[in-house]
């Protein structure tokens, strides 16, 4: 599936670790390079375009929708791409040609493809097309609500991802978070676990491979010390970005309790 305007329009160790909260100037959008279909001996071809996305969250930090836009060299500019955004997650062939990158890498590629300076994020948001909005609902309760002793409340989130991780990616994540590796043959699919303290709040998460090829999830449990939940958004963003830059494509964030 080649990237085109027509197709686009057709339709995060068990020892506590502090988290650095994102500064307002840090990139908030997600950037992807889309590579063309190439024979095995021509993998050095330049990307054929750039996709920019933004996850829009509800008050409880679950995803309401994904807004997106795309750019291809030689075209009229940025164009809206809800169909392409869906295909990044559902089409295995296209997914294999998509690479998540930090903004500075997208800036380099944009210049190399004669796009000039990459617009700032405020400008890019003006090109994003609103995706399908999920209706706000109460959290899906998988079990009776339980609060970890000593905390005000306990929440559970699941971040779903498409695509695959390689052995090198798991080693990188184990060092980055840090994450304790587990037996990859475990029946529950958990390949690693990690913990972190953010102030008085406690976070723990399992990285889990789902029972189908090309799908993972991050199951995050948050123990809040007070009614304030402002630490959740930055942690979700940090963990999701780490996995996106290792090859996974985030699909949604659901709250389970």
């Amino acid at each position: 599936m080649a990237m085109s305007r027509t197709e686009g329009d057709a339709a995060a160790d068990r020892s506590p670790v502090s988290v650095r909260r994102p500064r307002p100037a840090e990139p908030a959008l997600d950037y992807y390079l889309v590579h063309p279909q190439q024979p095995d001996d021509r993998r050095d071809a330049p990307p054929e375009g750039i996709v920019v996305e933004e996850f829009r969250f509800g008050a409880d930090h679950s995803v309401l929708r994904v807004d997106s836009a795309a750019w291809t060299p030689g075209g009229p500019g940025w164009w809206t791409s809800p169909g392409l955004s869906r295909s990044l997650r559902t089409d295995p062939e296209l997914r294999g040609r998509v690479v998540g990158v930090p903004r500075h890498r997208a800036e380099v590629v944009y210049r190399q493809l004669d796009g000039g300076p990459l617009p700032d994020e405020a400008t890019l948001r003006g090109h994003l097309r609103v995706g399908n909005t999920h209706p706000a609902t109460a959290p899906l309760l998988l079990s009776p609500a339980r609060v970890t002793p000593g905390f005000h409340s306990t929440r559970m989130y699941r971040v779903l991802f498409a695509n695959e991780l390689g052995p090198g990616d798991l080693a990188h994540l184990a060092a980055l978070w840090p994450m304790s590796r587990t037996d990859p043959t475990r029946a529950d699919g958990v390949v690693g676990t990690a913990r972190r303290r953010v102030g008085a709040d406690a976070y723990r998460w399992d990285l889990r491979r789902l029972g189908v090829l090309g799908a993972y999830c991050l199951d995050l449990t948050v123990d809040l010390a007070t009614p304030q939940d402002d630490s959740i958004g930055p942690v979700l963003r940090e963990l999701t970005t780490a996995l996106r830059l290792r090859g996974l494509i985030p699909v949604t964030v659901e709250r389970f309790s």
Side-chain angles (χ1 to χ4, degrees):
M1 176 179 176
M3 179 181 176
S4 68
R5 177 177 180 133
T6 299
E7 290 166 346
D9 286 336
D13 184 299
R14 296 188 172 276
S15 59
V17 180
S18 297
V19 64
R20 298 191 304 270
R21 297 180 185 246
R23 298 182 298 272
E26 291 185 355
L29 304 181
D30 293 342
Y31 298 84
Y32 298 91
L33 305 181
V34 182
H35 292 272
Q37 288 179 301
Q38 294 291 338
D40 290 340
D41 60 350
R42 291 205 57 231
R43 294 299 180 185
D44 57 346
E48 67 176 11
I50 299 172
V51 176
V52 179
E53 295 185 333
E54 182 174 32
F55 277 70
R56 304 307 298 264
F57 293 87
D60 69 347
H61 308 287
S62 61
V63 165
L64 295 178
R65 69 176 193 261
V66 184
D67 300 342
S68 61
W71 177 87
T72 49
W78 290 88
W79 41 276
T80 57
S81 58
L84 177 60
S85 187
R86 288 192 298 270
S87 295
L88 297 185
R89 293 157 173 86
T90 60
D91 182 342
E93 189 279 327
L94 177 60
R95 204 164 61 227
R97 298 192 284 114
V98 171
V99 179
V101 296
R103 177 179 165 88
H104 65 79
R105 175 59 181 155
E107 289 175 327
V108 170
V109 171
Y110 193 69
R111 287 183 180 274
Q112 290 175 339
L113 297 178
D114 296 326
L118 183 68
D120 60 35
E121 296 205 324
T123 301
L124 287 174
R125 281 193 180 90
H127 299 294
L128 298 181
R129 174 161 179 177
V130 175
N132 294 328
T133 300
H134 305 294
T137 59
L140 175 63
L141 299 179
L142 299 183
S143 60
R146 293 193 296 267
V147 177
T148 300
F151 289 89
H152 175 269
S153 61
T154 298
R155 295 187 190 178
M156 294 178 61
Y157 291 87
R158 170 166 286 184
V159 188
L160 292 173
F161 296 89
N163 240 355
E164 287 288 338
L165 288 173
D169 297 319
L170 290 174
H172 174 90
L173 294 167
L176 176 68
W177 279 338
M179 180 177 72
S180 300
R181 301 280 294 275
T182 63
D183 184 348
T185 64
R186 278 177 52 161
D188 60 4
V190 173
V191 298
T193 62
R195 294 173 181 263
R196 171 180 295 173
R197 283 274 186 171
V198 182
D201 300 333
Y203 287 80
R204 56 191 183 276
W205 60 92
D206 294 327
L207 179 60
R208 188 188 310 270
R209 180 168 187 166
L210 301 180
V212 294
L213 187 65
Y216 280 80
C217 69
L218 187 79
D219 289 338
L220 176 67
T221 300
V222 185
D223 293 322
L224 295 172
T226 71
Q228 299 298 317
D229 65 354
D230 58 328
S231 68
I232 295 177
V235 173
L236 276 171
R237 172 67 179 172
E238 179 197 346
L239 300 183
T240 300
T241 298
L243 288 167
R244 187 179 66 84
L245 295 180
R246 300 313 299 183
L248 298 187
I249 301 176
V251 177
T252 193
V253 181
E254 300 173 335
R255 180 182 169 188
F256 286 166
S257 67

